[in-house]
Amino acid sequence: MLFEQNNHHILDKKHKEWEFLHHFTHLGYDLLDLSILEEFKWDRLSPDDLKTMTNRYTWQSNDSLLSLRSDWTDSIVRYRKKYKLQTSKVAYSGPVYPYNQEKMQFGVEIFSESISKQQDSMKELLDYIQTSLNQKLSVAVISHYSLLKKLLTKDDLEDPDIKHLLRERNLDGLIHQLGTEHPVVQLMSQPVPDQLHFAKAKFPDLKESVNEIIEWSAILEKKNIPTVYSDLFSLPAQSYYKGIFLQFYTDQLVEPIVTGGQYSSPTKAFGMAINLTDLTY
């Protein structure tokens, strides 16, 4: 009986994967299936590569560094550059191996500068989560990765102490490092619900980015997500993330069920991934 239950569980998981890929091919996405094994050359490792190697399973083979795939977007960015991928929309499914764990991801990427097309892709993925996976999204967090670049110097952005304080939202520490008159300190000193409008009114250079956050937030509210709020102090995990970044949560999970955003590859692009667990998969 134990094997019978296990058989049904495995078949159900495989069916969900097939269903996802089938669903998005009907929406005009091309499918991409990449090896979970990535090969890097020591003399070609970028700053992003070096930073993420601490979160990968890696081993050396002659003059190459081998790693299990830790992120689908990163792999697709590499593949697109290497083979000049000729498609505007990609769907994928498969495991990733961030440090000390394995995750199954379903995701989409769209290579277009059209914001409306990027937003349509987001809505298509959210619709799939809410209908086919029957998951109720309770919270959406929206960030914009150009904000801090306009408020901090390059040296400040690369300062590990300041980056740590930003991740911790440590206002006292940032006051000590930057001073009370620094724009980041002024902005973080405001109540969270007021920060977005304070940024728009106080810092004209942020107006465009703030308006983008407001536009995307309005779309999310129409998708019946109960709580949508902005986080103005997020730092990108990879340098190629350039604009809007999104995280979605359910009531059942502490970690976000969906993450993604705008990036450069080498032109503008947008991607989102569903992080599947036993509760959702």
Side-chain angles (χ1 to χ4, degrees):
M1 181 61 71
L2 182 60
F3 266 109
E4 184 178 346
Q5 292 175 348
N6 187 58
N7 292 344
H8 284 301
H9 180 61
I10 292 174
L11 288 171
D12 185 53
K13 290 171 66 174
K14 296 298 183 182
H15 178 72
K16 281 189 171 67
E17 186 174 0
W18 178 90
E19 185 182 59
F20 172 82
L21 296 174
H22 192 263
H23 178 88
F24 278 89
T25 57
H26 279 282
L27 293 177
Y29 289 77
D30 294 312
L31 303 183
L32 194 60
D33 189 19
L34 301 179
S35 171
I36 64 170
L37 188 63
E38 296 185 289
E39 182 178 358
F40 300 87
K41 297 295 183 182
W42 283 104
D43 59 351
R44 300 177 192 171
L45 289 172
S46 70
D48 275 343
D49 295 332
L50 293 170
K51 184 171 63 175
T52 61
M53 285 305 160
T54 57
N55 298 322
R56 290 174 175 261
Y57 291 103
T58 60
W59 61 97
Q60 188 170 350
S61 175
N62 297 321
D63 62 344
S64 296
L65 184 67
L66 302 178
S67 171
L68 296 180
R69 178 177 59 227
S70 66
D71 178 83
W72 263 100
T73 297
D74 192 30
S75 297
I76 292 172
V77 167
R78 296 179 189 282
Y79 184 90
R80 185 168 184 248
K81 288 180 180 178
K82 184 175 181 178
Y83 296 106
K84 296 180 173 57
L85 186 63
Q86 297 299 310
T87 180
S88 61
K89 297 166 70 175
V90 166
Y92 61 84
S93 66
V96 292
Y97 297 88
Y99 191 62
N100 281 342
Q101 59 183 311
E102 176 186 356
K103 292 182 179 180
M104 182 67 176
Q105 287 188 340
F106 296 168
V108 296
E109 310 283 332
I110 176 167
F111 307 105
S112 172
E113 296 187 9
S114 168
I115 302 302
S116 62
K117 289 182 178 179
Q118 294 179 8
Q119 292 168 345
D120 286 343
S121 183
M122 175 190 70
K123 288 185 281 189
E124 288 167 348
L125 193 66
L126 295 181
D127 286 341
Y128 183 83
I129 293 167
Q130 293 168 321
T131 55
S132 298
L133 294 182
N134 197 30
Q135 294 294 309
K136 183 178 181 181
L137 300 173
S138 56
V139 176
V141 181
I142 182 167
S143 312
H144 200 298
Y145 284 153
S146 74
L147 287 170
L148 288 178
K149 291 179 181 178
K150 296 177 180 178
L151 295 177
L152 291 165
T153 66
K154 183 179 179 181
D155 288 342
D156 286 340
L157 282 169
E158 294 176 353
D159 187 313
D161 292 332
I162 292 177
K163 288 167 70 173
H164 175 74
L165 293 170
L166 285 168
R167 290 193 181 96
E168 296 293 321
R169 306 300 188 267
N170 187 331
L171 179 58
D172 290 338
L174 287 168
I175 289 174
H176 178 74
Q177 289 280 346
L178 302 173
T180 56
E181 299 303 312
H182 194 280
V184 169
V185 171
Q186 292 184 40
L187 186 54
M188 193 178 288
S189 299
Q190 305 305 309
V192 173
D194 300 337
Q195 288 176 356
L196 195 62
H197 295 291
F198 181 85
K200 185 176 181 179
K202 184 75 173 179
F203 307 113
D205 289 348
L206 304 184
K207 185 176 180 180
E208 182 178 349
S209 299
V210 169
N211 284 339
E212 288 180 34
I213 291 176
I214 293 171
E215 178 186 349
W216 285 75
S217 297
I219 293 172
L220 297 177
E221 289 167 358
K222 291 180 180 178
K223 300 301 292 182
N224 297 318
I225 300 175
T227 303
V228 179
Y229 72 89
S230 56
D231 178 4
L232 306 187
F233 305 102
S234 290
L235 293 166
Q238 300 273 34
S239 66
Y240 54 68
Y241 282 112
K242 301 296 185 183
I244 291 291
F245 192 79
L246 302 154
Q247 296 174 298
F248 297 86
Y249 296 81
T250 66
D251 288 334
Q252 293 83 13
L253 301 172
V254 176
E255 296 294 321
I257 186 176
V258 187
T259 59
Q262 296 171 322
Y263 62 95
S264 176
S265 170
T267 57
K268 289 184 179 177
F270 176 83
M272 288 179 63
I274 307 171
N275 301 300
L276 295 140
T277 68
D278 286 337
L279 293 177
T280 59
Y281 185 40

